[in-house]
Amino acid sequence: MQVLEGIEWRRDALSHLLDAAVLLADDPWLLGGGGDAARASEAALATYLSPLYGTYISVRTRMASLEEHYATLNSEDLDEIREEISEVAAEEEMVAASSLGRLNVPAAVASLSALLNDCLPRLKTLFEAAIGSVSTPEGGISPDAAALLEEARLLVVCITHLLTDDSVGEAPMIPEAIIRASRPDDKNSDSTVAAVGLVVTSLMQLAEYQASILAANTSDPRLSPLLSKTMLWFFNRWAPAYILATSLEYGRDGQSHSRIVGAWSSQESASSAINFCSTLCLHYHCYWPQEKQVQEAASLLSLNLAKRGTTMRSVMIKCSSLAKLAAMHTFTASLCHNCASTEVAAATANAHAAGRDLSEDMVRGYCRLPYADRANILTGLLVASSDVGEQGGGSMFNEGCLLPVQNSFSSLVQAIHSKQIQAHNVNAKEMTCLCIELYRGIAKASDIPDIERIPRFITPSLQALSDLMVHYVDDLTICELLLRFFRDYAERFISVLDRDQCLALFHASSSLLKSYSGHHCKSRAVVKIAASRLEEDLEEEQSYSDILCAISLLIHLGTKDFIDICSTTNASTMGSNQVTDMIFFGLQQILPLMSQGLLQFPALCTNYFSLVGFMMDTYPDKVCALPFDLFNPLLESMLFGMSHNDTFVAKSSLRGIAGLAREHLKSKALSIHLAQHADIVDKCSTRLLHEVVFQPIIWDRLEPAGMALLPLATIDMGRFGVVVTTLSSQFGSAENIQRFQAAFQSLMQPQVVQKVASGGYEGRMNRLKFKAAFEEFVKEVHSFLVLT
């Protein structure tokens, strides 16, 4: 009890001390500059703080080993949410610990190397032992083996955080601490570079050893997908930063001559490392096709390497493993999950005839990959072979990657049109899914030189892809695949499409959305239950991801108008009306699907109002001209959105309502609707006051609410006065009613109303004046507001 007494405050105190140590270790003012003072500070911190790293890593890996042993022994497992929380906490902990390790890189690498050298022989013994001696009668792995694998995994995590930085969205770089530790003027630089090289080599050997066991027996229980994913995560961060690094990427003052920069920069060392990465990915693709996280990490590794530039791609294109992976795609582009053994044998024979040494087991495993993973592999192959010229991979890019996809899709379309195969035949559905995913993989290859090659290839197939919606409109899986393809293609290439390519995309998208909406607005009623668990909400929202794709597609298509306006050349621009007509046609297809139940899903709601807000701000005249059966649900959705708890949704809705009112004041655009439904404006004013202005939520949407109320009131001050009189009856006493009406009279000054009615009052100063007046009005009303 004495030990446990005060454990909470002790834990908090330790946490604060560690945070302080990390802040000191990462302080750029203390350690930056490269002068004598900075080096003295670095040496002092290394002396006092760096010894903590070795102790921490040793204890932390031991704790992880014991926890895994206990969990396996007692068959315990965390639920998904607790596991995710645990992973995030561990990630933050490792990032903090790496800051301490980087204070003295040689000592930190030595600590990790010692632990790794202790762990690897035990791993080798584990893999060489008889399976029965390390597994349970139920076929699972023994607690001791699970503990050892977790210890190895955590060591890989520690090495990753010490030697690499997270570079998502940035150019991969060697950490500055590693650069400093390998400067020529550091007496330990040679030993540091050698130690880093040994650690990386040890991880390569571990990955290679596990991959060889995987090739021999894919069902071996000692194989750990989590360990494999973690090692791929290391190589994803290490390889793009260290392989073929150049001194030009780093600073001066001696850092450009850091020895670590040249460790994997020679052609021989770079080729060896790249070939290793490609071979490892090939093995995982072919022998572990159903391990989703492993597949994602493996395909990402190839893509990250290919994105590093022409020099990297020129080495990659010469790797035998990458050539074998490209051949795997070439000869299996027409093979689905359910392909027969004879088809696998034929594909293998064709590869042998073309001089490619592929085994039937590898081909069969590759065909079992999820189609999305095959698409990601194709994206990496396209980027890797995208260079033109003598060092390029033009043959692989065209004949090896693009042509097989085109041939497979053409054969499918011809077979369906000629009735050689029924569209709803299971083989036809499988082939359709494969072809759409492969085209999507091509559409994601936007990181290539001469990017126009992709639209030139895809454009002739757009209408045929769109026509597939007619055959498979009742198959939600294929519907969503088609919408995702068009969304991704529009997002990445809309800015480079010429007029003819853009028209082809618009026409194909129009027919796609028309077929999609015509079926789904009748067959899918969305009614969200108010009280449900978070997991149920997320799962239900995912079931409507196809609608989210459709909305995103329209948003991306709408950017073409903006891009052309900003363009310095008119060579490939389109008329604004063409873009607008397309977006409004698509919006008309989406509107019947957008019920209030659907708008309760956060992602769908945000994207929908992003689209609607853009259209209302930019083209309110066309919105007013919509048929009433489409205009009314659009207006209802904005009235729903103006009181939404998401301020973006609320402000978009209020600005949309204000845009409609201003447009009517300007051109009487709502006259046709008002002639048949005279209460439209009254309904908007009443709900705006009752659901927004009179509620506590008004304060985070004050300005857009005021700027919506002003034009609504101006449309017909007489009818607005009736609305105010009706609402004032809620305030009980005659004194409150009088104060309420007086506040409105003070807000709606005749000169202000007159300016708004004549199309004025749009300047910045006028808006600021009305905002201040409206804020005073709200404060006055809220001071006595008691709704009955």
Side-chain angles (χ1 to χ4, degrees):
M1 291 298 293
Q2 291 179 349
V3 175
L4 294 176
E5 185 178 354
I7 191 170
E8 290 299 328
W9 72 262
R10 291 182 184 183
R11 186 175 294 166
D12 289 342
L14 178 59
S15 176
H16 288 311
L17 287 172
L18 287 174
D19 288 342
V22 170
L23 289 172
L24 282 172
D26 287 339
D27 190 343
W29 296 99
L30 190 62
L31 303 178
D36 292 338
R39 295 191 182 186
S41 299
E42 185 179 351
L45 288 175
T47 301
Y48 293 109
L49 297 180
S50 65
L52 297 174
Y53 182 75
T55 304
Y56 166 81
I57 295 300
S58 178
V59 173
R60 188 66 182 82
T61 52
R62 181 59 179 161
M63 284 174 56
S65 175
L66 292 173
E67 289 170 359
E68 186 66 22
H69 187 282
Y70 177 85
T72 306
L73 183 64
N74 294 278
S75 301
E76 292 186 358
D77 197 8
L78 293 175
D79 59 66
E80 289 186 8
I81 293 181
R82 289 181 178 274
E83 189 171 354
E84 185 176 346
I85 293 172
S86 177
E87 286 182 6
V88 171
E91 178 80 6
E92 294 175 350
E93 193 178 308
M94 293 299 170
V95 171
S98 67
S99 298
L100 298 179
R102 289 179 181 181
L103 290 172
N104 190 340
V105 173
V109 173
S111 298
L112 289 171
S113 183
L115 292 171
L116 193 62
N117 290 336
D118 175 67
C119 181
L120 289 179
R122 291 185 284 132
L123 275 176
K124 185 177 181 182
T125 302
L126 170 66
F127 286 125
E128 290 177 348
I131 294 179
S133 63
V134 294
S135 60
T136 62
E138 294 79 16
I141 196 169
S142 68
D144 289 337
L148 179 57
L149 290 171
E150 177 60 17
E151 180 183 342
R153 189 194 70 83
L154 199 64
L155 277 174
V156 176
V157 171
C158 295
I159 293 170
T160 303
H161 282 294
L162 180 68
L163 299 184
T164 67
D165 283 331
D166 186 9
S167 58
V168 176
E170 303 174 356
M173 300 283 283
I174 301 172
E176 185 179 352
I178 308 298
I179 293 289
R180 288 200 306 266
S182 58
R183 289 179 302 207
D185 57 349
D186 191 314
K187 62 181 180 180
N188 297 318
S189 61
D190 289 335
S191 59
T192 299
V193 173
V196 170
L198 285 174
V199 169
V200 173
T201 300
S202 296
L203 292 183
M204 286 182 172
Q205 290 172 347
L206 175 59
E208 183 179 359
Y209 189 59
Q210 180 160 297
S212 64
I213 296 174
L214 176 65
N217 182 8
T218 57
S219 60
D220 193 323
R222 296 167 295 187
L223 295 171
S224 169
L226 187 58
L227 177 58
S228 298
K229 185 198 81 168
T230 306
M231 286 192 293
L232 284 169
W233 174 59
F234 166 77
F235 291 118
N236 257 309
R237 289 174 51 153
W238 170 83
Y242 283 78
I243 300 175
L244 292 175
T246 64
S247 58
L248 296 176
E249 296 176 311
Y250 299 91
R252 297 180 180 177
D253 63 12
Q255 289 188 7
S256 59
H257 304 292
S258 178
R259 290 190 169 92
I260 196 68
V261 174
W264 287 275
S265 293
S266 67
Q267 284 294 314
E268 182 180 355
S269 58
S271 297
S272 176
I274 293 173
N275 197 56
F276 162 79
C277 292
S278 299
T279 304
L280 183 66
C281 292
L282 178 64
H283 273 70
Y284 284 137
H285 290 321
C286 294
Y287 293 112
W288 240 348
Q290 298 303 312
E291 292 295 341
K292 180 175 177 58
Q293 292 183 330
V294 174
Q295 293 304 323
E296 289 175 352
S299 56
L300 186 61
L301 176 56
S302 298
L303 182 59
N304 285 342
L305 285 171
K307 286 181 178 180
R308 283 296 283 153
T310 302
T311 305
M312 182 74 78
R313 292 193 289 267
S314 66
V315 177
M316 290 183 70
I317 206 70
K318 298 174 184 176
C319 289
S320 58
S321 296
L322 189 75
K324 186 176 286 190
L325 185 61
M328 198 72 71
H329 161 74
T330 301
F331 294 103
T332 62
S334 60
L335 298 185
C336 304
H337 290 154
N338 57 348
C339 60
S341 298
T342 54
E343 293 177 293
V344 173
T348 306
N350 292 335
H352 288 166
R356 299 298 184 186
D357 183 21
L358 305 181
S359 68
E360 284 194 27
D361 287 342
M362 295 182 75
V363 172
R364 185 178 295 105
Y366 190 86
C367 292
R368 291 182 58 223
L369 277 168
Y371 299 143
D373 292 322
R374 289 172 69 172
N376 290 335
I377 294 169
L378 175 57
T379 303
L381 290 172
L382 285 169
V383 178
S385 60
S386 61
D387 289 319
V388 295
E390 295 181 1
Q391 300 298 320
S395 175
M396 180 187 293
F397 185 88
N398 292 310
E399 287 80 11
C401 295
L402 297 180
L403 191 58
V405 178
Q406 185 182 52
N407 291 339
S408 297
F409 181 62
S410 299
S411 299
L412 171 68
V413 172
Q414 184 177 0
I416 292 176
H417 285 173
S418 62
K419 307 294 185 181
Q420 295 177 8
I421 186 172
Q422 294 297 318
H424 288 278
N425 178 281
V426 64
N427 293 323
K429 285 187 174 183
E430 284 288 324
M431 194 64 200
T432 299
C433 291
L434 173 60
C435 288
I436 297 171
E437 282 286 14
L438 291 179
Y439 266 96
R440 188 177 171 219
I442 296 170
K444 289 191 289 186
S446 55
D447 297 295
I448 65 171
D450 192 14
I451 192 176
E452 293 81 6
R453 288 179 289 175
I454 300 298
R456 284 199 298 267
F457 172 80
I458 287 181
T459 298
S461 303
L462 282 175
Q463 193 57 52
L465 284 162
S466 177
D467 291 343
L468 290 175
M469 184 67 81
V470 176
H471 297 289
Y472 298 107
V473 69
D474 57 345
D475 189 316
L476 198 56
T477 299
I478 297 179
C479 283
E480 186 169 350
L481 287 178
L482 286 167
L483 289 167
R484 284 182 177 178
F485 161 72
F486 276 87
R487 177 201 64 188
D488 292 346
Y489 178 61
E491 179 183 8
R492 288 169 170 81
F493 292 95
I494 193 71
S495 61
V496 300
L497 298 182
D498 61 29
R499 185 178 182 278
D500 292 337
Q501 291 170 341
C502 214
L503 282 174
L505 175 59
F506 280 9
H507 291 157
S509 299
S510 298
S511 58
L512 180 85
L513 291 172
K514 184 176 182 180
S515 300
Y516 167 75
S517 175
H519 176 82
H520 289 281
C521 69
K522 300 175 184 177
S523 63
R524 298 175 76 185
V526 184
V527 180
K528 187 177 184 294
I529 300 173
S532 58
R533 294 188 301 112
L534 174 62
E535 298 89 334
E536 294 173 351
D537 286 350
L538 295 174
E539 185 176 349
E540 187 175 0
E541 185 173 19
Q542 286 298 315
S543 66
Y544 299 108
S545 56
D546 55 310
I547 302 176
L548 182 59
C549 287
I551 295 171
S552 298
L553 169 60
L554 291 175
I555 292 173
H556 296 314
L557 292 175
T559 61
K560 183 61 176 174
D561 199 11
F562 175 78
I563 291 167
D564 284 351
I565 290 173
C566 297
S567 177
T568 58
T569 176
N570 295 322
S572 62
T573 59
M574 297 187 63
S576 180
N577 287 339
Q578 291 175 302
V579 179
T580 309
D581 292 345
M582 167 58 215
I583 305 307
F584 266 92
F585 177 82
L587 184 60
Q588 291 178 43
Q589 310 309 310
I590 295 297
L591 277 175
L593 295 168
M594 301 307 298
S595 66
Q596 288 194 12
L598 194 63
L599 289 175
Q600 292 181 54
F601 295 115
L604 283 165
C605 186
T606 301
N607 279 268
Y608 171 75
F609 281 104
S610 177
L611 172 64
V612 169
F614 166 74
M615 298 307 296
M616 302 297 282
D617 283 344
T618 314
Y619 310 108
D621 54 328
K622 289 186 175 290
V623 174
C624 294
L626 287 172
F628 187 75
D629 59 345
L630 292 176
F631 174 81
N632 190 53
L634 177 61
L635 180 62
E636 287 292 336
S637 70
M638 288 189 291
L639 293 174
F640 166 83
M642 67 184 181
S643 59
H644 200 277
N645 57 4
D646 187 318
T647 55
F648 170 79
V649 171
K651 290 177 180 179
S652 297
S653 301
L654 290 165
R655 290 183 185 124
I657 293 171
L660 287 179
R662 287 195 302 269
E663 183 62 29
H664 179 71
L665 290 171
K666 175 183 175 183
S667 63
K668 303 301 179 184
L670 292 174
S671 297
I672 297 177
H673 295 322
L674 287 173
Q676 298 179 354
H677 307 275
D679 63 338
I680 291 176
V681 178
D682 299 346
K683 178 175 65 174
C684 292
S685 302
T686 302
R687 291 187 60 178
L688 174 57
L689 289 169
H690 191 272
E691 298 176 15
V692 180
V693 177
F694 296 166
Q695 302 299 326
I697 61 172
I698 180 61
W699 301 110
D700 63 5
R701 58 205 69 182
L702 184 71
E703 182 176 1
M707 299 311 293
L709 182 63
L710 181 59
L712 283 172
T714 306
I715 289 176
D716 190 332
M717 283 298 296
R719 295 184 69 97
F720 184 72
V722 174
V723 169
V724 172
T725 302
T726 304
L727 288 174
S728 64
S729 62
Q730 304 178 35
F731 297 109
S733 68
E735 179 185 358
N736 287 345
I737 292 175
Q738 185 177 3
R739 288 178 62 186
F740 176 65
Q741 293 177 346
F744 256 115
Q745 290 175 0
S746 176
L747 177 67
M748 297 297 179
Q749 295 291 330
Q751 64 270 25
V752 173
V753 174
Q754 185 178 0
K755 282 187 177 181
V756 175
S758 61
Y761 215 75
E762 293 292 332
R764 178 173 178 271
M765 293 304 298
N766 287 329
R767 288 201 306 271
L768 289 175
K769 288 179 182 177
F770 184 78
K771 179 185 176 182
F774 184 67
E775 185 174 355
E776 288 299 320
F777 165 78
V778 173
K779 289 179 180 178
E780 172 67 13
V781 172
H782 278 249
S783 68
F784 61 82
L785 185 61
V786 179
L787 293 177
T788 59

